[in-house]
Amino acid sequence: FKMGFGSHKSPVSKAEILQKPVHELIKFLDEFQCASFDQALFEGKPDKEGLAGVLQAAVKDDPKKFTDELELFCRDGLYFYVYRILDGFQDAWKDGKVLDWGNVLNFCLHYIQRPTFLKDAQATGDQDKTGKYIRFVHRAVDLIEDGCRDDNRAFDVKFFYTVEEIFDAIFP
């Protein structure tokens, strides 16, 4: 019986993530073999949660790097990291950084519309038994809310149609 408190660790630093081209980062995320739950929490080995946290911090620091090639993340197998990218965008926006709302909103729409979207969410255990809570959807809606909360900083009205399409995809 092991007991203790552990934290999640990443196999790479935020600086290393920011130095990698996005296509290399995606390959790394795809191929990362994380430690088991016990190894991660009790032995301090790197796990997906640690890597996702560092990815979120990297997105917060340099959102443009990710918005410029965001469509590359619109594929199967990256769900666990994608909603953390949205968290990074939200953190960056709250810090006063500029976001390419066109790319972010188009990505959210296309990601939700993928035929494998629900399958990816379920595969990561990210859907409750009723199917009413999916982290990506929650994060996308929160990001949209923050993006139009303050009229002085709100995203352009030209994106309202895309937002409407996102909501239609969420609530058909």
Side-chain angles (χ1 to χ4, degrees):
F1 178 75
K2 292 182 182 181
M3 187 169 174
F5 178 78
S7 63
H8 299 284
K9 295 198 173 156
S10 174
V12 293
S13 69
K14 178 174 62 171
E16 290 172 307
I17 287 176
L18 289 171
Q19 289 173 351
K20 285 183 187 289
V22 171
H23 69 278
E24 283 182 26
L25 175 61
I26 289 172
K27 184 176 187 227
F28 178 77
L29 296 173
D30 248 351
E31 295 173 353
F32 176 60
Q33 298 294 316
C34 66
S36 71
F37 179 79
D38 286 347
Q39 290 174 323
L41 287 181
F42 298 115
E43 297 172 22
K45 294 192 177 179
D47 65 354
K48 280 178 106 172
E49 189 64 44
L51 178 55
V54 172
L55 176 61
Q56 179 179 336
V59 172
K60 176 185 176 185
D61 281 2
D62 188 2
K64 184 173 178 5
K65 173 186 174 76
F66 297 91
T67 57
D68 286 352
E69 298 186 82
L70 196 52
E71 74 280 353
L72 297 176
F73 288 93
C74 197
R75 55 192 288 271
D76 293 344
L78 295 177
Y79 179 86
F80 187 80
Y81 301 108
V82 168
Y83 73 81
R84 295 296 291 268
I85 289 171
L86 294 185
D87 286 342
F89 288 146
Q90 189 171 20
D91 294 342
W93 184 252
K94 286 178 180 178
D95 274 1
K97 294 183 178 153
V98 174
L99 290 182
D100 181 341
W101 282 102
N103 282 352
V104 170
L105 295 171
N106 283 325
F107 171 76
C108 289
L109 176 62
H110 293 121
Y111 198 82
I112 289 170
Q113 289 177 331
R114 289 177 323 112
T116 57
F117 173 70
L118 287 176
K119 185 175 122 187
D120 279 355
Q122 290 169 334
T124 60
D126 190 33
Q127 185 176 2
D128 67 8
K129 291 178 179 155
T130 65
K132 293 181 181 175
Y133 181 84
I134 300 172
R135 277 185 272 205
F136 181 88
V137 170
H138 182 77
R139 299 318 203 285
V141 170
D142 282 353
L143 182 59
I144 290 167
E145 179 184 8
D146 282 351
C148 57
R149 181 181 314 254
D150 179 2
D151 286 344
N152 295 322
R153 254 189 107 223
F155 55 75
D156 197 290
V157 296
K158 68 183 178 186
F159 300 122
F160 284 5
Y161 181 73
T162 306
V163 170
E164 183 179 1
E165 286 184 293
I166 291 168
F167 290 147
D168 287 345
I170 294 169
F171 305 110

